[in-house]
Amino acid sequence: MSRRRIVSNIAKVWMLILLCSSVAYAITFGLFGFIPQPGDFIRYILSETLAFLIFGLTVFLIGRTKNSKRSDVLNTMTDALRQIAKGNFRVKLNAQKLTEQNHPFGKIFDSINHMAEELNRMEQMRQEFISNVSHEIQSPLTSIRGFANALQNDQLSPEARWRYLKIIEKESTRLSKLSENLLKLTSLESANHPFDPKPYRLDKQLRQVILSLEPQWEEKSMEMDISLDELRIVADEDLMNQLWVNLISNSIKFTPEGGCIKIQLRQKGKFAEVILADTGIGIAEEDQAHIFDRFYKADKSRNRSVGGSGLGLAIVKKIIDMHGGKIEVESRLGEGTKMIVTIPCGYEI
């Protein structure tokens, strides 16, 4: 308790004592107007005794009132916690009034409101996640079931049968990839995922990833403009490999035939900077803040045609966060996208 508050409380008690003494003196003065007056000493004793009784009664009544108010506050708080325990996260306590009165429970009310808001946000995310997973699983399953039924037609031509089988294979691969990405993201978000940083050549890793994806960019007759400085970093090589595969695959996926992807690696102080720029379809400004959210798809109509579950960039962001790095996005619709990844080199330079 602060010194100012102690002084204030002492002053309040002193004023209460003076008030009770004044009331007692007035009562005794009026009383002795009707009965014979005793000596000054007796009159003093009676007055002070009455003042003490009035003071005690006043303190009792004030304490009773405060206890009643405190009991109401505790009941309100307990009821709110019970509601939260039952899953009602829309609880909202009126903390402003208590805070303005410097009530000791004001901060507790604020904390309960904050806890309810965070739990409500997490519940909405959980429901959205379940809904998205269900939708992403249901879509390929519906396609597989439909084409499997069509294959039962004996009069189907060999060309149509082959086309349907290829679609079933593609949808099965998509379903498998979704399951794999879900398991990967869940593992990355857990505290038990292995994280084994070791020194290695980042430029060599990027070249290997680009070569492994050659069938994809060759099929679309794309130009790959590569400029990689020799650079060693300390990082988890397997996780970083997943990071580059996801980013470069995304650029290939959303860049039209004959487009260009430019990849640069350079050192900036104690950091490695990788710039991945493409001439793809671009990302709208309002979508750029959400592209690393799970299942987020900036253009659902175009994503439907190129596949994808909306988990690739969420995995990218998690891996970058695990390494203490950052990723920035610069994009304009119809002009392309630039991803700038900054990763600590992991050792003193």
Side-chain angles (χ1 to χ4, degrees):
M1 188 179 291
S2 65
R3 182 179 297 177
R4 180 179 295 179
R5 191 165 182 180
I6 293 173
V7 171
S8 175
N9 288 339
I10 292 174
K12 288 177 182 178
V13 171
W14 182 245
M15 290 297 294
L16 181 61
I17 292 173
L18 288 178
L19 179 63
C20 293
S21 297
S22 299
V23 171
Y25 179 81
I27 291 174
T28 53
F29 183 81
L31 179 65
F32 292 133
F34 300 96
I35 61 176
Q37 292 192 16
D40 291 340
F41 177 74
I42 298 298
R43 183 173 177 176
Y44 172 78
I45 292 297
L46 290 174
S47 177
E48 290 303 311
T49 302
L50 184 59
F52 177 78
L53 291 174
I54 294 173
F55 177 77
L57 180 62
T58 304
V59 170
F60 172 77
L61 293 174
I62 291 174
R64 186 79 176 268
T65 303
K66 284 191 173 182
N67 286 336
S68 177
K69 289 181 179 180
R70 180 168 295 182
S71 178
D72 291 341
V73 171
L74 284 171
N75 289 336
T76 302
M77 188 169 62
T78 304
D79 182 62
L81 292 173
R82 284 201 186 102
Q83 291 295 320
I84 292 173
K86 291 178 181 179
N88 178 17
F89 305 130
R90 300 184 183 279
V91 171
K92 186 74 173 178
L93 298 177
N94 186 9
Q96 184 177 356
K97 186 176 180 181
L98 293 181
T99 304
E100 290 174 352
Q101 296 173 351
N102 291 323
H103 196 284
F105 286 161
K107 291 184 178 179
I108 298 178
F109 271 38
D110 274 332
S111 298
I112 291 174
N113 287 338
H114 180 69
M115 178 178 68
E117 289 171 5
E118 289 299 308
L119 288 171
N120 188 49
R121 185 178 63 84
M122 291 176 64
E123 175 64 16
Q124 290 175 351
M125 288 175 63
R126 185 187 70 84
Q127 292 179 1
E128 184 180 355
F129 179 78
I130 293 173
S131 175
N132 286 329
V133 170
S134 301
H135 173 76
E136 292 296 333
I137 291 176
Q138 189 63 36
S139 180
L141 284 178
T142 301
S143 182
I144 292 170
R145 184 170 59 248
F147 286 106
N149 288 334
L151 285 171
Q152 297 176 25
N153 184 358
D154 294 333
Q155 298 180 355
L156 202 63
S157 66
E159 294 80 9
R161 188 178 299 275
W162 179 252
R163 188 171 70 253
Y164 292 171
L165 285 171
K166 292 298 289 183
I167 292 173
I168 290 175
E169 181 185 19
K170 181 181 177 182
E171 292 299 309
S172 299
T173 302
R174 178 183 165 193
L175 198 57
S176 176
K177 189 68 175 176
L178 171 63
S179 174
E180 180 186 332
N181 282 338
L182 277 172
L183 290 173
K184 185 76 173 179
L185 188 58
T186 303
S187 177
L188 287 172
E189 291 180 339
S190 72
N192 301 320
H193 186 84
F195 184 67
D196 186 23
K198 292 179 180 178
Y200 73 94
R201 285 270 299 275
L202 180 56
D203 55 303
K204 283 186 176 181
Q205 183 183 52
L206 285 166
R207 284 193 179 91
Q208 290 170 358
V209 171
I210 294 167
L211 286 173
S212 70
L213 296 173
E214 185 176 0
Q216 297 181 26
W217 51 267
E218 279 284 355
E219 184 183 1
K220 299 178 75 172
S221 303
M222 298 175 64
E223 177 188 350
M224 301 295 287
D225 183 357
I226 312 299
S227 174
L228 307 175
D229 293 345
E230 183 177 322
L231 181 58
R232 292 178 67 84
I233 66 170
V234 177
D236 189 308
E237 193 170 356
D238 290 339
L239 290 178
M240 293 298 289
N241 195 74
Q242 178 78 61
L243 163 68
W244 306 127
V245 167
N246 286 10
L247 281 180
I248 298 173
S249 296
N250 239 38
S251 287
I252 295 172
K253 187 187 300 182
F254 294 104
T255 299
E257 289 193 20
C260 176
I261 294 178
K262 185 175 182 180
I263 303 175
Q264 292 178 293
L265 167 62
R266 60 190 181 187
Q267 185 175 317
K268 292 186 69 176
K270 296 182 179 181
F271 297 89
E273 183 180 77
V274 177
I275 301 174
L276 177 63
D278 62 51
T279 56
I281 60 177
I283 306 168
E285 187 176 350
E286 61 270 18
D287 293 319
Q288 292 178 23
H290 304 286
I291 60 173
F292 299 107
D293 296 345
R294 291 178 294 186
F295 294 107
Y296 189 83
K297 296 182 180 181
D299 188 333
K300 303 196 169 43
S301 60
R302 276 186 262 199
N303 267 306
R304 213 174 277 125
S305 63
V306 297
S309 61
L311 290 175
L313 289 180
I315 292 173
V316 164
K317 184 66 167 61
K318 185 61 183 177
I319 293 173
I320 291 174
D321 289 344
M322 289 173 70
H323 285 85
K326 66 177 182 178
I327 182 168
E328 300 172 87
V329 183
E330 298 176 8
S331 184
R332 298 183 69 176
L333 281 176
E335 296 184 12
T337 300
K338 180 190 288 186
M339 297 276 188
I340 305 169
V341 179
T342 306
I343 298 289
C345 291
Y347 58 89
E348 291 298 325
I349 299 173

